[in-house]
Amino acid sequence: MQRSLVFLVLFCFSLLVRADLTIEITQGVDEPTPVAVVPFAWEGAQTLPEDVAQVVSDDLYTSGMFKMMPRDNMLSFPSDRNSLYFRDWRISGSDYIVIGRITEAADNQLSVAFELYDILKEERVLGEVVNASRTSLRAVGHYISDKVFEALTGVRGAFSTKIVYVTAEQPRPSVYRYRLMLADSDGHNPRTILESKEPIMSPAWSRDGSKLAYVSFETGRPSVYVQYLATGKREKVQSFRGINGAPAWSPDGNKLALVLSKDGNPEVYILDLIQRRLNRVTHHFGIDTEPSWSPDGQSLIFTSDRGGQPQIYSIYLPSRDITRLTFEGSYNARGRLTQDGRFLAMVNQSNGSFHIAVQDLKTGRMELLTETFMDESPTIAPNGSIIMYATQEGIRGVLAAVSLDGRVKFRLPSSSGDVREPAWSPFQ
């Protein structure tokens, strides 16, 4: 808890100017799969606002699992099976190729057809036609990336998902501006969800992706708010004296787990949003904080120093039985479960630094995934493949990510300044 308060103080005095994010790969798999994404054919009169093929190529590249062929090295630009000569592409070293074409459709819509081919087998792996508006072409690119990624890896793609994060700027001395930002998973299309002169913390997605819960200090003390993304409507759901923090949505979207100190000590509570009933979950003189739900909604994991040092525990809600989950290291906190409930991501203290770690709850094995300094706030992609987190780069805070097996790493630095508190959306 003390470390969380220290982080809040540091965050409130950080300097930030903008919030645009770009992905920089720092480590990929040893032998990435060679893939060519050919520019999609287009014969319309007006230039398209997005290069769909480039979006697909960028997505696949930033996964760290694929080696993309530069367009300058392409001998031709096929857009259908009849113009695709597999021998040429085998010579070029590609294992797979994505081709496509965009045509005008009725009602000012566009028709985007794409195909994925196995070059070595000379077989079509998948193909589909998607209707879209001109303004949704980037989303179509992410959709195609998801389909190609799943076809080649067997894992559902998460390029079409969203992220939220918190930024702050100091326009003049002693004046701060905080923003809750929403963006595509690759950092593009950022927009402001909330702007405030006071700190914003702990954003959390509802399971259906329609709402956010977060903590705002706009009234001078921490309060928990829920905001509807489609309408912008927001409501204060909890504001007791003392700590009101760390909201976490239940899988059914009807409850929020919270940390409150209204009874004198930070404890975990569950707020029923339909009946507006508050139920205290933990009862201990230690500090209980950072709750997160199990996928089945039957348990909560949380951080507690009840054993003398911060560790992660699980409480089975029907019986209130508590189990300690982490034992390696003097500090384990901010636990988050993958959607299958098997892997637990967390912040682990090792040799004086804080790193992102993952523990296999089936075997008990823990593995450190990062080597950066002051890593915080892990959030897991809905397909369970990537953990995004906040870290330090020099004197600035940036977002970074690492695959669950530690083989792929990338950063999402802002153009300048700090970015913190990431939260990855569910599938939408």
Side-chain angles (χ1 to χ4, degrees):
M1 190 68 179
Q2 291 179 340
R3 182 166 174 263
S4 297
L5 294 175
V6 169
F7 167 69
L8 175 59
V9 172
L10 293 175
F11 177 74
C12 290
F13 286 91
S14 62
L15 176 65
L16 174 119
V17 179
R18 298 188 62 186
D20 299 336
L21 305 177
T22 57
I23 293 180
E24 298 177 1
I25 297 293
T26 58
Q27 178 181 312
V29 297
D30 294 335
E31 297 182 3
T33 302
V35 178
V37 181
V38 178
F40 287 10
W42 163 246
E43 297 180 355
Q46 297 179 338
T47 302
L48 295 176
E50 289 286 352
D51 186 336
V52 176
Q54 190 63 56
V55 173
V56 176
S57 182
D58 290 344
D59 281 346
L60 297 179
Y61 170 72
T62 55
S63 74
M65 301 181 68
F66 302 99
K67 178 182 179 181
M68 311 309 299
M69 174 180 283
R71 290 183 176 181
D72 291 344
N73 294 349
M74 296 180 183
L75 300 177
S76 61
F77 299 106
S79 60
D80 56 33
R81 174 64 179 83
N82 292 332
S83 58
L84 176 58
Y85 298 98
F86 290 102
R87 179 179 178 276
D88 293 343
W89 293 96
R90 279 197 297 270
I91 294 174
S92 70
S94 293
D95 289 351
Y96 296 92
I97 186 170
V98 179
I99 61 176
R101 53 205 171 276
I102 305 174
T103 57
E104 293 180 331
D107 300 324
N108 294 319
Q109 293 288 296
L110 299 174
S111 178
V112 183
F114 70 94
E115 297 174 284
L116 169 66
Y117 284 91
D118 184 320
I119 294 174
L120 300 180
K121 295 181 179 179
E122 299 189 8
E123 294 178 352
R124 191 174 92 150
V125 179
L126 64 87
E128 191 175 338
V129 178
V130 182
N131 291 324
S133 65
R134 290 176 178 269
T135 57
S136 63
L137 282 177
R138 187 168 192 86
V140 171
H142 292 318
Y143 174 81
I144 296 173
S145 302
D146 288 337
K147 293 296 184 180
V148 172
F149 184 86
E150 183 173 7
L152 299 184
T153 68
V155 177
R156 183 177 179 181
F159 301 109
S160 297
T161 56
K162 306 288 185 180
I163 58 172
V164 292
Y165 50 93
V166 178
T167 66
E169 63 176 312
Q170 186 182 11
R172 57 184 183 274
S174 301
V175 176
Y176 295 88
R177 181 68 61 185
Y178 300 87
R179 291 183 176 89
L180 177 61
M181 304 295 298
L182 169 70
D184 294 349
S185 63
D186 60 359
H188 284 263
N189 298 323
R191 65 183 179 95
T192 301
I193 299 299
L194 177 67
E195 185 172 336
S196 175
K197 295 180 181 180
E198 302 297 333
I200 304 167
M201 299 182 67
S202 305
W205 290 87
S206 63
R207 185 60 61 89
D208 65 1
S210 67
K211 300 181 288 293
L212 290 173
Y214 52 84
V215 177
S216 173
F217 285 71
E218 61 197 68
T219 62
R221 63 179 185 178
S223 300
V224 177
Y225 290 81
V226 168
Q227 183 155 342
Y228 296 79
L229 294 177
T231 64
K233 176 186 175 182
R234 60 194 296 261
E235 59 178 320
K236 185 190 298 184
V237 298
Q238 208 60 261
S239 185
F240 290 105
R241 185 175 63 181
I243 295 173
N244 298 269
W249 291 90
S250 63
D252 63 9
N254 296 327
K255 303 179 184 68
L256 280 176
L258 305 164
V259 175
L260 305 174
S261 63
K262 69 183 189 68
D263 297 325
N265 195 57
E267 301 282 357
V268 176
Y269 292 75
I270 293 178
L271 173 64
D272 188 315
L273 294 171
I274 297 177
Q275 300 181 2
R276 295 290 170 169
R277 290 192 308 189
L278 193 64
N279 181 17
R280 182 169 169 175
V281 175
T282 61
H283 298 76
H284 199 275
F285 58 82
I287 295 174
D288 297 332
T289 185
E290 300 176 337
S292 181
W293 294 81
S294 63
D296 62 7
Q298 293 295 299
S299 301
L300 286 172
I301 61 172
F302 62 97
T303 304
S304 178
D305 65 355
R306 60 182 58 206
Q309 298 173 323
Q311 297 291 340
I312 299 174
Y313 295 77
S314 174
I315 181 168
Y316 183 61
L317 295 175
S319 65
R320 300 302 171 94
D321 291 337
I322 294 178
T323 303
R324 180 171 168 176
L325 300 179
T326 58
F327 294 89
E328 294 186 32
S330 60
Y331 180 102
N332 291 288
R334 194 63 180 265
R336 295 294 184 267
L337 290 168
T338 53
Q339 284 301 309
D340 60 5
R342 175 167 177 174
F343 295 96
L344 174 66
M346 72 198 81
V347 178
N348 170 272
Q349 185 180 24
S350 177
N351 299 322
S353 297
F354 296 94
H355 302 296
I356 302 301
V358 65
Q359 180 172 319
D360 186 333
L361 295 181
K362 185 176 182 179
T363 66
R365 181 186 177 189
M366 179 185 289
E367 181 180 359
L368 293 180
L369 300 180
T370 66
E371 299 174 351
T372 40
F373 175 71
M374 195 62 76
D375 300 332
E376 292 273 1
S377 306
T379 179
I380 305 175
N383 63 3
S385 64
I386 296 288
I387 302 170
M388 187 178 293
Y389 59 98
T391 189
Q392 289 290 121
E393 186 179 72
I395 61 173
R396 298 192 298 119
V398 301
L399 300 185
V402 59
S403 61
L404 203 66
D405 59 10
R407 300 171 67 198
V408 177
K409 296 179 181 179
F410 58 86
R411 298 178 305 164
L412 292 87
S414 62
S415 54
S416 58
D418 289 338
V419 183
R420 287 283 176 179
E421 300 267 1
W424 212 315
S425 80
F427 285 118
Q428 297 176 322

